[in-house]
Amino acid sequence: GSTNVTGDQVKKLDVLSNDLVLNTLKACYSTCVLVSEEDSHAIIVEPERRGKYVVCFDPLDGSSNIDCLASIGSIFAIYRKVSDGEPCEKDALQPGRNIVAAGYALYGSATMMVLGTDRKST
């Protein structure tokens, strides 16, 4: 198998979950830049589907733990686009204080989702 940008072994479920999350975020018409642990570069959403948010995520964190039945999950952070003009990778390089929302979903014998938001967000 191959390795991702952080050096983890990529499993088939990593690829499937990444495709699912990317396609879902593109289809919501709210995002403009998508950054995944599974991809070496940021994905710029097509102009006709663009919104104002940048989403950074790991679609299936802990997938190497599947064999030992440990919990796995998805993690994400959402920022607003800050650059003028076309969205770019720089839009994802923001300090944590600029996060609009972040969270994770934990999958196991029960599923749990935790979401944190910035109270100033609209």
Side-chain angles (χ1 to χ4, degrees):
S2 61
T3 57
N4 63 18
V5 294
T6 61
D8 297 330
Q9 287 293 326
V10 176
K11 298 180 181 291
K12 186 174 183 179
L13 199 53
D14 290 313
V15 175
L16 292 172
S17 60
N18 192 53
D19 289 345
L20 178 68
V21 172
L22 286 172
N23 290 335
T24 302
L25 289 171
K26 286 179 181 180
C28 75
Y29 292 82
S30 296
T31 61
C32 59
V33 180
L34 305 174
V35 180
S36 170
E37 181 190 38
E38 305 304 326
D39 298 309
S40 58
H41 297 288
I43 295 163
I44 308 302
V45 176
E46 300 84 9
E48 64 275 3
R49 293 180 156 197
R50 279 188 198 149
K52 63 181 179 179
Y53 295 103
V54 176
V55 182
C56 303
F57 61 94
D58 183 349
L60 196 61
D61 190 42
S63 60
S64 60
N65 297 329
I66 291 173
D67 296 340
C68 58
L69 300 176
S71 294
I72 56 173
S74 301
I75 57 177
F76 63 91
I78 302 170
Y79 298 88
R80 277 192 191 83
K81 177 182 173 291
V82 291
S83 66
D84 293 328
E86 290 293 305
C88 60
E89 287 189 9
K90 279 187 169 182
D91 286 305
L93 301 175
Q94 298 184 48
R97 68 178 172 270
N98 291 354
I99 291 175
V100 174
Y104 63 91
L106 191 61
Y107 319 118
S109 57
T111 298
M112 174 176 53
M113 182 170 178
V114 175
L115 176 67
T117 61
D118 176 9
R119 290 185 288 149
K120 299 178 289 199
S121 299
T122 56

